[in-house]
């Protein structure tokens, strides 16, 4: 019964979100943004491929992460603030199963959106006469893994705060997560004991999201190595699991006022 | 008993100074099998908080809640509960059919063969067959309330908990909702519903639980509540061949009046308790508690 309940909630979440017009307005803006990123790449005198790819992939990354954070926090707002959750949690389903169903449903929506983005990306590449390379597409897996991780982070912050604060803190988490690799390098070179300890605490407290940034591989026209791929999957699973468990622990105790 | 609530307490915390705010204070009552019990109270009395504690939407601070003999937190017991919240908001982008299927599958499992038949039957019962494939975002408030009760009934629950099911409905809508509730009762469900529409409670219930300021003030048959609050007695006696009717305000005054008439050898023909309406009884209780 529990797996059935998770599947039913996931399917319902997928249907509800994928039919929401707000999503399409956001996707439209994202595609326009993506086009602009490519257009900026065209301003280069030489290395048009390199700059266009760099800007285009960064555009997809930012749009997709933005959509992930929006969908994650909107789910909590909609379900709890508008009280649709009441009629679900009184059914034979535990709160952890419900949260897992929601997570999988949103992940399904994100998968469809990513496929759409990849399609749009490919079309823009074709229109601009850029070569279509298989190496480009492996970087999208990194974006998806990062989004799967950040979705659990959004769940966690949404379970303890209002949507605006949850969005803000998740964005900060995302920025720090990309910055910790640089910090790690600085800490290693530092002579200050205080900076060393404090820096190390920060480095350990956040996932190294740069490990999921596989855009340089795409730009260099090489495939992502097995080691990078394995570490990326491990990083995503470990941190997602941690934040999901924390979210469940809070959500189970939460009064749904 | 289908539902037993014993010494239920619920405290909230003040958002700034974290001071305890007791909302429910030793709430105790029980709901017998196959009964229709009205849960009465003014706004802010604690009706919705009690219902949310029973259903596990809110965590109780202390106390004991049993549904069908099992602890209310036991997931298996939820198969037997149907619930319609106050002012329901549902998924806007699902059709009525998808919406009922979702709740049916959650309660009955994905392969329930009878689910499609049950969906059609319920849509007919609540008068929404024509809207089967319409999205809920296009539904009026009355239609949402009707699809809401349909989702509560989709799995043939043994206990149906309805929070203000009749509020905000026009007279036709209220009649239709009352018919659905009666139908559920006829099918063998036990119904516990909160309302501040006393006429409807009077029409639908035989038993009452009355709550005020987070405390249960009455639990039992409606007639007992009404007669308990009905303080006016009419005394009929003969005086020199003429029938005289005298109104007496309390039971004590009635006793002394009867004693006095007997001493005067007056013939007392009968005493009648003037039946006040449920609304008057409820107001009387509120007045008593305030004093």
């Amino acid at each position: 019964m529990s797996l059935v309940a998770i599947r039913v909630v996931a399917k319902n979440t997928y249907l509800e979100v994928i039919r929401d017009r707000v999503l399409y307005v956001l996707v439209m803006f994202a595609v326009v943004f993506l086009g602009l990123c490519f257009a900026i790449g065209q301003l280069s005198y030489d290395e048009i491929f390199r700059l266009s790819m760099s800007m285009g992939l960064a555009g997809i990354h930012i749009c997709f992460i933005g959509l992930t954070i929006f969908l994650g926090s909107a789910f909590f707002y909609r379900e709890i603030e508008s009280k649709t959750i009441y009629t679900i949690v009184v059914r034979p389903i535990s709160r952890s199963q419900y949260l897992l169903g929601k997570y999988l449903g949103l992940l399904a929506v994100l998968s469809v959106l990513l496929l759409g983005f990849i399609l749009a990306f490919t079309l823009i590449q074709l229109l601009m006469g850029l070569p279509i390379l298989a190496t480009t597409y492996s970087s999208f897996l990194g974006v998806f893994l990062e989004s799967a991780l950040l979705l659990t982070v959004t769940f966690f912050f949404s379970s303890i705060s209002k949507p605006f604060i949850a969005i803000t803190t998740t964005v900060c988490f995302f920025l720090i997560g990309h910055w910790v690799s640089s910090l790690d390098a600085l800490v290693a070179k530092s002579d200050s004991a205080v900076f060393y300890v404090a820096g190390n605490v920060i480095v350990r407290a956040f996932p190294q999201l740069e490990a999921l940034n596989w855009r340089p591989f795409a730009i260099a026209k090489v495939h992502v190595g097995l080691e990078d791929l394995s570490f990326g999957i491990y990083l995503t699973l470990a941190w997602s699991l941690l934040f999901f468990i924390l979210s469940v622990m809070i959500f189970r105790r939460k009064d749904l006022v | 008993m289908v539902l037993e609530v014993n010494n239920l307490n619920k405290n909230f915390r003040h958002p700034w100074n974290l001071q305890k705010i007791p909302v429910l204070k030793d709430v105790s009552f029980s709901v017998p099998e196959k009964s229709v019990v009205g849960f009465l109270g003014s706004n802010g009395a604690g009706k919705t908080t009690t219902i949310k504690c029973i259903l596990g939407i809110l965590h109780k601070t202390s106390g004991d809640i049993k549904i069908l003999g099992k602890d209310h937190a036991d997931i298996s017991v939820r198969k037997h509960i149907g619930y319609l919240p106050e002012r329901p908001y549902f998924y806007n982008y699902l059709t009525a059919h998808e919406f009922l299927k979702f709740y049916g599958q959650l309660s009955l499992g994905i392969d329930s063969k009878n689910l499609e038949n049950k969906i059609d039957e319920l849509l007919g019962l609540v008068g929404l067959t024509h809207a089967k494939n319409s999205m809920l975002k296009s539904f009026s408030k009355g239609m949402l309330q009707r699809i809401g009760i349909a989702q509560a009934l989709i799995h043939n629950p043994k206990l149906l908990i309805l929070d203000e099911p009749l509020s905000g409905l026009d007279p036709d809508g209220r009649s239709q909702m009352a018919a659905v509730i009666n139908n559920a009762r006829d099918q063998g469900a036990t119904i516990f519903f909160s309302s501040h529409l006393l006429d409807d409670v009077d029409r639908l219930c035989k038993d009452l639980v009355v709550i005020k300021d987070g405390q249960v003030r009455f639990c039992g048959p409606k007639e007992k509540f009404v007669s308990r609050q009905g303080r006016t007695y009419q005394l009929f006696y003969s005086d020199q061949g003429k029938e005289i009717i005298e109104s007496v305000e309390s039971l004590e005054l009635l006793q002394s009046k009867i004693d006095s008439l007997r001493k005067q050898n007056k013939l007392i023909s009968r005493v009648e308790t003037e039946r006040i309406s449920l609304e008057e009884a409820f107001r009387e209780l509120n007045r008593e508690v305030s004093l």
Side-chain angles (χ1 to χ4, degrees):
Chain A
M1 182 60 202
S2 60
L3 282 177
V4 169
I6 293 166
R7 187 177 140 194
V8 170
V9 171
K11 185 184 165 193
N12 176 63
T13 305
Y14 175 80
L15 282 179
E16 175 69 10
V17 176
I18 214 80
R19 289 174 182 174
D20 194 342
R21 281 186 202 147
V22 176
L23 181 72
Y24 293 99
V25 173
L26 290 172
V27 168
M28 209 175 69
F29 275 110
V31 170
V32 170
F33 180 72
L34 188 63
L36 282 173
C37 289
F38 269 104
I40 291 167
Q42 292 289 298
L43 297 175
S44 170
Y45 284 111
D46 54 2
E47 296 204 66
I48 288 179
F49 172 80
R50 194 179 169 81
L51 198 61
S52 298
M53 285 293 283
S54 180
M55 294 300 291
L57 290 174
I60 282 196
H61 181 227
I62 290 168
C63 291
F64 200 65
I65 296 302
L67 276 170
T68 301
I69 296 172
F70 172 78
L71 288 178
S73 58
F75 139 65
F76 262 84
Y77 173 74
R78 280 188 189 175
E79 295 282 304
I80 297 171
E81 298 293 319
S82 63
K83 297 164 187 171
T84 47
I85 196 169
Y86 287 1
T87 46
I88 299 172
V89 294
V90 301
R91 303 278 165 175
I93 176 171
S94 69
R95 289 194 185 187
S96 49
Q97 288 165 356
Y98 166 76
L99 214 54
L100 184 58
K102 280 285 163 189
Y103 179 72
L104 294 176
L106 289 176
L107 220 50
V109 172
L110 288 169
S111 308
V112 171
L113 288 181
L114 187 61
L115 285 175
F117 276 127
I118 293 172
L119 194 68
F121 182 88
T122 308
L123 282 173
I124 294 171
Q125 272 186 310
L126 283 172
L127 287 171
M128 294 173 74
L130 295 170
I132 310 292
L133 302 169
T135 48
T136 307
Y137 294 91
S138 53
S139 71
F140 293 121
L141 179 61
V143 175
F144 184 74
L145 290 175
E146 189 177 339
S147 132
L149 193 164
L150 283 173
L151 192 59
T152 60
V153 177
T154 316
F155 272 26
F156 171 71
F157 286 122
S158 298
S159 62
I160 52 174
S161 59
K162 296 279 177 194
F164 177 74
I165 297 168
I167 290 172
T168 312
T169 43
T170 312
V171 168
C172 291
F173 188 93
F174 162 75
L175 294 173
I176 296 169
H178 277 279
W179 172 67
V180 283
S181 303
S182 311
L183 182 68
D184 201 15
L186 282 173
V187 165
K189 289 177 188 170
S190 173
D191 294 330
S192 161
V194 176
F195 183 69
Y196 182 80
V197 173
N200 262 314
V201 168
I202 296 173
V203 168
R204 302 283 177 273
F206 290 87
Q208 296 202 8
L209 295 179
E210 270 302 300
L212 298 170
N213 177 10
W214 296 336
R215 293 195 299 276
F217 295 105
I219 294 161
K221 300 178 189 173
V222 292
H223 283 290
V224 179
L226 193 62
E227 198 179 324
D228 288 306
L229 192 69
S230 312
F231 180 70
I233 292 170
Y234 160 75
L235 183 90
T236 305
L237 286 176
W239 281 92
S240 300
L241 197 63
L242 173 71
F243 276 101
F244 188 78
I245 290 169
L246 288 173
S247 308
V248 166
M249 283 166 69
I250 293 166
F251 192 59
R252 282 168 77 171
R253 290 164 173 264
K254 196 177 175 74
D255 271 346
L256 303 171
V257 180
Chain B
M1 290 292 167
V2 171
L3 173 64
E4 287 172 273
V5 178
N6 290 308
N7 304 109
L8 172 65
N9 287 284
K10 175 66 186 170
N11 299 333
F12 285 119
R13 293 248 176 214
H14 191 280
W16 296 108
N17 58 20
L18 298 180
Q19 208 177 351
K20 274 185 192 173
I21 305 168
V23 179
L24 300 179
K25 302 157 202 165
D26 283 324
V27 168
S28 298
F29 63 88
S30 54
V31 175
E33 200 179 348
K34 294 183 181 176
S35 59
V36 181
V37 178
F39 191 28
L40 290 186
S42 314
N43 289 337
K47 300 189 297 289
T48 299
T49 304
T50 306
I51 287 176
K52 283 181 178 177
C53 284
I54 291 169
L55 294 164
I57 294 169
L58 293 178
H59 296 290
K60 67 191 182 212
T61 304
S62 65
D64 185 38
I65 303 169
K66 282 199 160 44
I67 297 171
L68 298 162
K70 288 183 180 175
D71 187 82
H72 75 132
D74 188 333
I75 284 188
S76 67
V77 93
R78 297 192 202 154
K79 273 183 195 169
H80 307 294
I81 304 172
Y83 169 56
L84 174 67
E86 187 184 8
R87 290 191 296 274
Y89 296 89
F90 296 126
Y91 295 106
N92 281 335
Y93 293 94
L94 293 186
T95 65
H97 175 262
E98 285 169 340
F99 175 76
L100 292 180
K101 193 172 177 183
F102 168 60
Y103 284 99
Q105 287 179 337
L106 263 187
S107 298
L108 302 167
I110 211 153
D111 298 319
S112 174
K113 289 171 189 168
N114 298 325
L115 188 55
E116 289 298 327
N117 292 338
K118 186 72 186 171
I119 290 170
D120 290 338
E121 180 197 320
L122 279 172
L123 285 172
L125 183 71
V126 298
L128 289 175
T129 305
H130 65 284
K132 183 178 178 178
N133 295 314
S134 303
M135 283 192 184
L136 299 192
K137 64 175 183 171
S138 65
F139 278 30
S140 67
K141 189 181 176 190
M143 289 166 84
L144 282 176
Q145 198 83 348
R146 282 186 276 156
I147 198 75
I149 195 141
Q151 66 78 27
L153 291 167
I154 190 79
H155 53 303
N156 295 319
K158 289 181 181 164
L159 173 63
L160 191 58
I161 298 180
L162 312 169
D163 194 359
E164 302 282 0
L166 305 155
S167 70
L169 295 178
D170 59 26
D172 282 346
R174 276 161 58 193
S175 296
Q176 199 164 21
M177 188 63 88
V180 173
I181 292 172
N182 283 330
N183 183 277
R185 181 203 58 203
D186 295 343
Q187 304 279 323
T190 302
I191 298 156
F192 179 68
F193 79 98
S194 76
S195 183
H196 58 262
L197 298 169
L198 300 177
D199 285 347
D200 292 316
V201 174
D202 206 3
R203 195 152 45 108
L204 290 165
C205 304
K206 282 191 176 163
D207 294 291
L208 292 178
V209 175
V210 183
I211 189 168
K212 183 168 169 63
D213 298 331
Q215 287 179 297
V216 170
R217 306 291 180 177
F218 177 84
C219 177
K222 181 179 69 188
E223 289 309 319
K224 192 176 162 193
F225 176 69
V226 171
S227 63
R228 195 180 81 148
Q229 299 305 134
R231 293 283 165 95
T232 308
Y233 301 91
Q234 286 190 311
L235 187 61
F236 296 77
Y237 64 93
S238 298
D239 187 10
Q240 296 171 346
K242 275 203 241 168
E243 189 180 55
I244 294 175
I245 309 167
E246 201 167 322
S247 282
V248 183
E249 289 289 314
S250 73
L251 202 58
E252 291 76 23
L253 280 175
L254 179 70
Q255 288 298 340
S256 61
K257 185 72 189 171
I258 289 171
D259 291 344
S260 142
L261 288 173
R262 277 187 175 157
K263 277 177 194 162
Q264 293 168 45
N265 290 324
K266 300 275 166 58
L267 184 65
I268 299 166
S269 54
R270 65 184 191 276
V271 178
E272 282 184 2
T273 306
E274 194 179 2
R275 192 195 187 279
I276 59 171
S277 69
L278 182 60
E279 191 169 341
E280 283 168 318
F282 182 67
R283 256 193 266 126
E284 176 69 16
L285 177 93
N286 276 346
R287 198 177 61 81
E288 261 178 33
V289 171
S290 311
L291 284 175

